[in-house]
Amino acid sequence: MMHVLQVVRPMDGGMKKHVLSLLAHLDQSKYQIILAAPDKEDWDEILAGSNVEVVYLPLQGNLAPCSDLAGMRRLGHLIQRRKIHLVHTHGMKAGLVGRMAGLISGGLNPQSRPYFLATVHNSIYQYPMSKTKRWAIGQAQSFLGRYTDGFIAVSQGLKRELMTWEGIPEAKISVIYNGINPADFPHYPRPALPEAKIRLGLNPELPVVGMVARCAPQKGGEFFLGAASELSRLLNEVQFLVAGDGPLRLAWEQKARALGLRGKVHFIGHHPRPGELYPLLDVYVLPSLSEGLPLGVMEAMAAQRPILATWAGGIPELIQHRKTGLLVPPGNSSALTQGMMELLTRKTWAKKLGKAAGQAARDQFSEKEMVRQTEDLYQEIGDRIRHEDEIRSKGRWARA
C-alpha cells in the first residue's frame, strides 16, 4: 500500500473543496492517506468516519519562518517514521514546507527521499508585488521544482505560468481540471424560490445578481460593487447578493455603503450549502482579477445559471464567450455593468446560455474524472517505487 501525505495550508473555498474531493474518493484500499493541516482548523470533525489520519501543524497562510521551520521538522520526522512514499502538496505555502521537509528528511538523492507531487491551484505571479519579490519567489520555486517529480496544474494557464516563471519542463506538468458532482446542484422548483429568497433577506419579486466567492483581493469584489452601483442607476428593480467570507468582507461592506447601496447589496457570509444559492441567481458574476480554475464558475454552470465572468486565469477554459456565458476584461466595472444588463434584459438568450453551461459542466468537469486522473499519477509513482524496490532487492541478492 502506498503511504501518501497530503499537505495543505490554511484554506477555504475551491481549494478546500478540491482537497476534500480527493480525500473522499481516493481508493483507500490502495492508499494510506495522512493529511498534514494547520492546527487551527477542524479537519478531525470534517473527516469523521473516514480512514484519513490528520496530523496538525503550526502552519500559517503567509511566510512565517519560526512556525514554518517547526512545521518542516515535524513533517520530516513524520515522513521518516511513517515511511511516506509520496508527499502531495496543495498551493505555494504547503509546497514550500512539504517539499523542504521531504528534502531535509531524505536529502537530495531521489532514492532516499519520498516522491513529490505539487498541485498548483492559483496564480501567485498575478498578485501585486515588487519585481524583486516576484523574482525571489520564482527562484525558490524553481529550486524546489528541480526536485519535484510532478506537478498538477488545474488549468492550461497555470501550466504556462509554471513553464514561464519557474522553468518547469512541460513533461513534468499534468493539467487536471477541478471537478464537481452535478448532483450537488439540483434545480429548485420555481414555487420554492420566493420562500428561499425571503430566508436570505431578499425581495422575492426582484431579480438577483450575485457572486458566490471568498472576499479576497483576487476576486475583484470592488468592481462587482462598482457595477452594482452603475446598474442600480439604470435599473431600479434589481438586487445584489455577495455570499462568502474572507479578509475583505468588512471593506466591501463599507464600500457598498459608500456607494449608496444600503439595502441593495446583501452580504450573507459563508453559506455551507452553496448549491442552494445558485438557483436564486438570475445572473451569477465572478469578477476575478486572477484565477486558477474556479469551482464557483463550475458550480454555477452545473446549476445552469447565466454566467458573467472575466478573462482571468483558467476562466476562459470553462466558459465559451457568448456560448456558455459572457466574458469581460478584469478590473472593469463598466464592462461588468453592460454584461449584467444584457443577461437581465435578454432572458430567453440568458436561459439558453445557462443550459449550454450545464451540459458543458456534466461533460467536461466531473469530480469522478478529476480523481481518476490524479490516481493515474499516483499509479505511475507506485510503479516507479516497485521498480526501484526490485532493483535494490536484486542488488542485495547479488552482494550476498
Side-chain angles (χ1 to χ4, degrees), residues 185-187 278-279 281-282 284 297-307 324 350-362:
F185 302 93
H187 301 292
Y278 294 108
L281 305 181
D282 294 88
Y284 166 86
V297 171
M298 290 184 182
E299 293 172 349
M301 292 171 70
Q304 300 187 25
R305 293 297 84 208
I307 295 169
T324 56
K351 186 175 181 180
K352 182 179 177 181
L353 289 181
K355 285 188 174 181
Q359 188 63 51
R362 289 189 294 274

Side-chain angles (χ1 to χ4, degrees), residues 166-320:
E166 299 177 14
I168 305 301
E170 184 174 9
K172 271 192 174 184
I173 308 170
S174 300
V175 175
I176 300 178
Y177 288 129
N178 289 330
I180 58 171
N181 181 3
D184 292 337
F185 302 93
H187 301 292
Y188 277 16
R190 298 304 297 180
L193 294 182
E195 183 180 340
K197 286 183 177 181
I198 290 170
R199 286 199 298 269
L200 295 174
L202 297 167
N203 185 327
E205 302 298 326
L206 299 183
V208 182
V209 177
M211 61 181 290
V212 182
R214 290 192 70 239
C215 301
Q218 71 271 24
K219 297 301 181 181
E222 64 272 27
F223 298 100
F224 174 82
L225 295 173
S229 177
E230 292 180 21
L231 187 65
S232 293
R233 291 194 291 270
L234 299 171
L235 291 178
N236 184 47
E237 295 191 343
V238 63
Q239 58 192 329
F240 304 89
L241 178 74
V242 178
D245 267 323
L248 292 185
R249 178 178 172 181
L250 180 59
W252 290 357
E253 289 180 348
Q254 291 172 341
K255 182 175 178 66
R257 288 194 292 271
L259 290 171
L261 292 170
R262 185 188 299 273
K264 283 277 190 181
V265 181
H266 302 261
F267 290 86
I268 65 169
H270 170 73
H271 194 285
R273 297 174 301 281
E276 297 178 2
L277 296 178
Y278 294 108
L280 310 182
L281 305 181
D282 294 88
V283 178
Y284 166 86
V285 182
L286 188 67
S288 294
L289 304 177
S290 69
E291 276 294 349
L293 197 79
L295 275 172
V297 171
M298 290 184 182
E299 293 172 349
M301 292 171 70
Q304 300 187 25
R305 293 297 84 208
I307 295 169
L308 171 64
T310 54
W311 297 91
I315 294 176
E317 297 172 46
L318 295 172
I319 297 296
Q320 288 185 279

Side-chain angles (χ1 to χ4, degrees), residues 93-143:
K93 176 62 180 285
L96 170 67
V97 172
R99 288 178 289 176
M100 285 300 297
L103 291 176
I104 291 169
S105 70
L108 302 182
N109 185 345
Q111 294 183 343
S112 60
R113 61 168 175 80
Y115 282 82
F116 298 139
L117 180 63
T119 294
V120 181
H121 291 267
N122 47 45
S123 169
I124 58 174
Y125 300 104
Q126 301 301 322
Y127 287 89
M129 66 177 80
S130 67
K131 290 183 178 178
T132 302
K133 184 176 181 180
R134 186 176 282 109
W135 177 85
I137 289 174
Q139 291 299 301
Q141 292 289 92
S142 180
F143 167 77

Side-chain angles (χ1 to χ4, degrees), residues 176-180 363-376:
I176 300 178
Y177 288 129
N178 289 330
I180 58 171
D363 292 345
Q364 302 173 35
F365 306 112
S366 77
E367 182 181 66
K368 185 181 295 185
E369 182 64 13
M370 178 196 77
V371 174
R372 185 195 67 76
Q373 291 183 39
T374 304
E375 285 198 337
D376 286 346

